[in-house]
Amino acid sequence: MSINRRSALALLGLGANAAALSASAAEPGGVSFQHGVASGDPLSDRVIIWTRATPPTPQAKDFAVSWTVADAPDFKRVVASGHLQASAARDFTIKADVAGLKPGKDYWFRFSTGDVQSPVGRTRTLPVGPVKDVSLAVVSCSLYPAGYFNAYDAVAKLDRVDAVVHLGDYIYEYGAGPNDYGTAGAAKMGRLLEPKHEIVSLADYRLRHATYKSDPHLQAAHARAPWICVWDDHETANDSWIGGAENHSPEIEGDWTARKANALRAYYEWMPLREPSAGGLAEAINRSFRFGDVAELIMVETRLLARSKQLDYAAMPMRQLDGKSVPDLAALMAQRADPGRQLLGDKQEQWLGETLKTSVAGGCAWQILGNQVVMAQVKGPDLKAALPPADWAAMVAGLPEAFRPRIEQMAALFAQGVPFNLDAWDGHPAARERVYAMIKAAKSQAIVLAGDSHAFWVNELHDAAGDRVAVEFGTTAITSPGWGDFLPKQDMGKIIADQNDEVVYSHQSAKGFTLLTLTSEETRVELIAVSTIADRAYETKALKRYRVAKRWGAGVEEA
């Protein structure tokens, strides 16, 4: 039986960067900058800058917007400037690829139209050659109605961050009804979605992006540093794959290809990243970023380019037993092992292998995989074995009555040691082994980043031969509910870590982000949690700190 976030978790019930929030008010009936500014996809000599110039009416004609980049926040020395047209064809979003910049340097930027100026943003180009260290904030999974974006605010307040790495689920496609995912406290917190229905059309996706970027904490984080982004599933629809999605029915939502095109068009309009080249696939968002001699960030795409359809415990093959049809788990596991099952696809796998080799040969100390879903082998938690009988009975009794049979079914499956999440790399083990083989062939010092799971993870990754080939750090959600929220009385993270050899640590309910500081000799990682997402007043705490030495096969050490 499959428990997906749409069906299961729906049962759950300022101190920001001042520059980022200082948008000038337009004259009545004029243009305004309501969605902040952003930058992204930095290279050593260029960076993307972005804003939206909100017109007085959606039917407004095209109008000019100027942009300016300076080497100091006072804008006394302008290093680049230009003009672009804001138009309804791109939902009045503006994006400039600013070239001719110097490597490893901070810049400030802003936009204007008429007498109205945007907020000021800060960005940074990539360094070249020897670098002392690199600081990356890693974020994922921001569900607007589920709570305040306090973790984004915490990122905006960091003393040092060279780039923000967003691993997907920047928006969610669900509606705003009382039974929709994560909406229980939305009205009380003033976190009401637009549009209120599930998004399908281009106008829907655009308005949902606009709703998210109206948030001051998200605006502050975008204005703090360049972002390097990739989508996961919810930017289109839950559990998407190359041919559809769990949350897409042609009878209800229409043609999948059209919906995907709408979602990706809005994403490219509203996000600070480079557009696909002429004739290129919009789905091919994989690309890499070199931070001098310290790290190469390699962003992969695991959803829309080549992913095979997810297997599902609720749709297992059947076999005959004593004249009855019963689920055939062995047949499902055989399907799972099929070498033809894809996450990256042949072309992207080839690109990844070549990029790893080139990075190592070029003297880069670390290869960081910006990947959407957890790569470690993780068996489903056997809660019945982990809990005293009375606690198990009390937990089941405390669940909604309609949900208890499903928990019982999943408990029976997990007791057999099956994977926790078939939507992750565990549903595609042959594809995972191919990635491990690439890492070994390149002799890469690889660190895998993961989002999607709404939990913190510290994992050590082993191939089929038992060799430790990489370590993995999964970042938790900004706000999205996870299993720890669904079963708050159980320490799900500890149970999972205790029952899985590859899991060093997991926290299944904390919200926050992951901070990486890399040098040529080591990587230090902090799992930063915010104290609450239900109140704008919050504190931050490093739940755990880890160190990885620059040594082939090195594991994680608690720091």
Side-chain angles (χ1 to χ4, degrees):
M1 195 70 176
S2 173
I3 303 179
N4 61 58
R5 280 168 278 171
R6 185 186 191 188
S7 59
L9 296 177
L11 296 171
L12 300 173
L14 262 198
N17 183 323
L21 305 181
S22 61
S24 301
E27 292 298 321
V31 175
S32 58
F33 293 95
Q34 300 177 9
H35 301 98
V37 297
S39 68
D41 276 13
L43 299 178
S44 61
D45 65 342
R46 63 179 56 221
V47 68
I48 297 289
I49 61 173
W50 175 98
T51 194
R52 183 179 192 250
T54 304
T57 68
Q59 295 77 32
K61 294 181 179 180
D62 296 2
F63 56 91
V65 176
S66 300
W67 56 267
T68 306
V69 178
D71 62 3
D74 59 11
F75 283 83
K76 288 183 179 180
R77 178 179 161 83
V78 173
V79 300
S81 61
H83 306 276
L84 291 168
Q85 289 292 110
S87 70
R90 288 187 61 90
D91 202 20
F92 300 97
T93 59
I94 295 290
K95 189 184 296 186
D97 196 347
V98 183
L101 305 178
K102 295 180 180 180
K105 184 173 174 57
D106 288 333
Y107 291 94
W108 286 259
F109 63 97
R110 64 190 178 195
F111 299 83
S112 64
T113 180
D115 295 329
V116 181
Q117 287 194 346
S118 76
V120 173
R122 180 179 178 179
T123 191
R124 184 174 178 83
T125 52
L126 299 186
V128 173
V131 176
K132 179 184 176 182
D133 57 11
V134 174
S135 177
L136 302 174
V138 186
V139 295
S140 182
C141 303
S142 45
L143 182 65
Y144 185 87
Y148 297 115
F149 287 166
N150 292 336
Y152 283 146
D153 184 58
V155 169
K157 292 177 177 175
L158 289 172
D159 291 334
R160 165 82 186 282
V161 58
D162 296 325
V164 177
V165 182
H166 200 296
L167 298 176
D169 294 346
Y170 182 94
I171 65 167
Y172 281 71
E173 83 281 14
Y174 299 132
N179 295 320
D180 282 300
Y181 173 50
T183 60
K188 182 179 179 180
M189 290 184 287
R191 307 288 287 177
L192 299 179
L193 279 174
E194 292 293 342
K196 295 179 174 58
H197 55 264
E198 179 186 339
I199 55 177
V200 176
S201 70
L202 176 59
D204 290 344
Y205 280 100
R206 284 171 165 174
L207 182 54
R208 186 60 56 84
H209 275 279
T211 301
Y212 272 65
K213 277 199 172 73
S214 70
D215 184 273
H217 289 167
L218 178 53
Q219 289 186 23
H222 270 303
R224 175 63 182 84
W227 284 41
I228 298 172
C229 304
V230 66
W231 55 69
D232 191 26
D233 51 341
H234 289 289
E235 287 86 350
T236 49
N238 182 57
D239 287 0
S240 52
W241 56 288
I242 190 172
E246 178 273 332
N247 188 28
H248 182 86
S249 169
E251 295 76 20
I252 299 173
E253 287 99 354
D255 179 67
W256 168 247
T257 302
R259 184 182 189 183
K260 180 174 69 171
N262 292 335
L264 295 190
R265 179 174 172 180
Y267 187 86
Y268 277 110
E269 289 173 349
W270 278 85
M271 298 297 288
L273 73 167
R274 285 185 178 81
E275 306 285 320
S277 59
L281 288 174
E283 293 89 338
I285 198 174
N286 53 295
R287 62 223 195 275
S288 65
F289 301 86
R290 176 74 66 90
F291 291 81
D293 63 349
V294 168
E296 180 127 7
L297 175 63
I298 305 170
M299 303 294 283
V300 298
E301 199 286 335
T302 63
R303 281 290 172 190
L304 305 176
L305 190 62
R307 177 191 274 260
S308 303
K309 186 176 182 180
Q310 296 88 342
L311 299 174
D312 190 343
Y313 291 122
M316 278 193 280
M318 305 299 287
R319 64 184 178 89
Q320 293 297 310
L321 178 65
D322 298 330
K324 297 180 179 179
S325 292
V326 297
D328 191 341
L329 181 60
L332 184 72
M333 292 298 103
Q335 292 178 2
R336 170 179 171 264
D338 182 356
R341 290 184 56 73
Q342 295 277 10
L343 268 186
L344 303 178
D346 294 338
K347 188 174 182 179
Q348 190 178 186
E349 283 185 2
Q350 181 180 359
W351 169 83
L352 175 58
E354 292 171 353
T355 303
L356 288 168
K357 288 180 180 178
T358 301
S359 180
V360 173
C364 209
W366 302 90
Q367 288 70 48
I368 313 297
L369 269 64
N371 148 77
Q372 290 75 71
V373 293
V374 172
M375 192 172 284
Q377 300 180 60
V378 183
K379 298 179 294 186
D382 187 353
L383 295 177
K384 203 166 186 177
L387 301 176
D391 289 356
W392 167 257
M395 185 198 78
V396 173
L399 294 171
E401 185 174 354
F403 199 62
R404 293 173 198 163
R406 304 179 71 180
I407 286 291
E408 294 278 7
Q409 290 167 2
M410 291 306 297
L413 277 170
F414 289 163
Q416 300 179 63
V418 302
F420 187 24
N421 184 7
L422 294 178
D423 183 55
W425 283 88
D426 254 342
H428 307 76
R432 178 170 56 197
E433 285 298 314
R434 293 194 292 270
V435 171
Y436 291 166
M438 295 175 205
I439 292 171
K440 293 177 77 171
K443 298 181 180 179
S444 166
Q445 190 78 38
I447 293 178
V448 177
L449 304 178
D452 180 69
S453 69
H454 310 171
F456 280 124
W457 299 89
V458 179
N459 303 322
E460 296 183 338
L461 308 180
H462 298 76
D463 65 9
D467 294 333
R468 184 165 54 199
V469 298
V471 297
E472 177 177 42
F473 296 99
T475 196
T476 192
I478 298 294
T479 56
S480 305
W483 279 102
D485 301 290
F486 184 56
L487 300 172
K489 295 182 180 180
Q490 318 305 328
D491 190 343
M492 291 285 290
K494 185 178 187 307
I495 292 171
I496 290 170
D498 288 347
Q499 295 180 355
N500 284 278
D501 293 338
E502 291 198 347
V503 181
V504 176
Y505 174 79
S506 179
H507 198 300
Q508 293 281 316
S509 61
K511 309 303 174 209
F513 65 98
T514 299
L515 186 63
L516 273 67
T517 304
L518 306 103
T519 71
S520 295
E521 300 301 322
E522 67 175 12
T523 293
R524 290 188 174 269
V525 179
E526 296 177 83
L527 310 181
I528 309 293
V530 294
S531 57
T532 182
I533 59 172
D535 194 298
R536 291 193 183 276
Y538 70 94
E539 297 177 349
T540 60
K541 176 184 178 181
L543 294 180
K544 289 283 187 177
R545 294 183 174 92
Y546 290 91
R547 173 184 178 271
V548 184
K550 175 67 172 66
R551 184 180 70 253
W552 167 252
V556 297
E557 304 171 15
E558 195 163 350

